Amino acid sequence: MNTLFQIPVRRALLPLLLLLFSAVAAAAQDPHLQTGSLDYLAGKASQTVDVNIDEHLMQMTAKFFSNTDPDEKKIKELISGLKGIYVKVFEFEHENEYTTADVESIRAQLRGTAWSKIVNITSKKEGSVEVYLMTANDRISGLAVLATQPKELTVVNIIGPVDLSKLSELEGQFGVPEIGIEQPAKAKIKN
């Protein structure tokens, strides 16, 4: 009788363990995208940007920003909690120098349960921009931007707590390209 009871329990436990394992794996998903598969594109590109600022370099860099200059102070505050900024930009002389498989190698990492696509802009002529957020415990722990144009491929990966209302201040800094993030308009006070 024990063996008849043990078989259904084992069968019931297996899906439960698989579900638990996938939940743990999703929670432990790393916000740092692996972009090494794109490195071969540097040989084809007419211009490349490759920025790799880890947490240690981020802290060192923050020390160089002034506390008295308002713009530098904002940037210093913005990057103080970040654990890394990673940017890869490949510009090409001709269209179709990178493949769909190159883009899919990044998208596959963003399909995890921890990532959510928050922006998807597609144009047949100009390409696409996709913005993803990784959240954990109701906090943003990572941001990824994947921008494809006929002659350009851009991957931006910011790791750490990202304040979306201040994100536009990073454009043009640390190799983060201008992607048109607008700051919210300030509410006007009526007298």
Side-chain angles (χ1 to χ4, degrees):
M1 182 113 158
N2 280 341
T3 56
L4 289 176
F5 179 70
Q6 289 174 344
I7 291 171
V9 169
R10 285 184 188 160
R11 286 187 184 158
L13 282 177
L14 183 60
L16 183 61
L17 288 174
L18 289 174
L19 183 63
L20 180 63
F21 176 74
S22 63
V24 169
Q29 189 173 355
D30 186 8
H32 187 197
L33 297 176
Q34 301 304 312
T35 58
S37 64
L38 302 177
D39 288 346
Y40 83 97
L41 292 173
K44 295 180 171 188
S46 58
Q47 181 176 348
T48 62
V49 174
D50 192 3
V51 176
N52 296 292
I53 305 174
D54 63 10
E55 186 173 13
H56 177 72
L57 284 173
M58 191 70 65
Q59 291 171 358
M60 286 178 43
T61 303
K63 292 178 184 177
F64 291 107
F65 286 98
S66 168
N67 284 327
T68 57
D69 181 276
D71 292 333
E72 288 188 20
K73 186 176 180 178
K74 284 181 187 178
I75 294 171
K76 187 174 185 174
E77 290 171 0
L78 183 62
I79 67 172
S80 65
L82 296 180
K83 297 181 190 301
I85 297 177
Y86 303 91
V87 179
K88 282 197 183 278
V89 181
F90 301 97
E91 292 181 20
F92 304 97
E93 290 291 325
H94 308 286
E95 293 183 9
N96 303 318
E97 292 287 329
Y98 63 91
T99 67
T100 303
D102 295 326
V103 177
E104 281 303 312
S105 71
I106 303 302
R107 279 192 187 122
Q109 297 174 63
L110 297 167
R111 285 192 187 107
T113 56
W115 289 101
S116 299
K117 186 188 290 189
I118 61 166
V119 174
N120 187 29
I121 303 169
T122 304
S123 167
K124 289 182 180 180
K125 291 181 181 179
E126 297 178 16
S128 67
V129 176
E130 301 167 33
V131 180
Y132 298 82
L133 288 180
M134 177 182 271
T135 57
N137 302 324
D138 295 328
R139 293 187 65 208
I140 296 172
S141 59
L143 175 123
V145 177
L146 178 60
T148 59
Q149 296 176 336
K151 294 182 180 181
E152 187 174 318
L153 174 61
T154 302
V155 180
V156 178
N157 187 206
I158 300 174
I159 300 170
V162 178
D163 183 346
L164 292 178
S165 66
K166 296 180 181 179
L167 184 61
S168 64
E169 294 173 23
L170 272 182
E171 288 183 317
Q173 303 291 328
F174 307 105
V176 175
E178 299 283 337
I179 52 178
I181 300 170
E182 294 183 19
Q183 291 181 336
K186 293 183 179 178
K188 294 182 180 179
I189 300 173
K190 293 183 179 181
N191 292 332

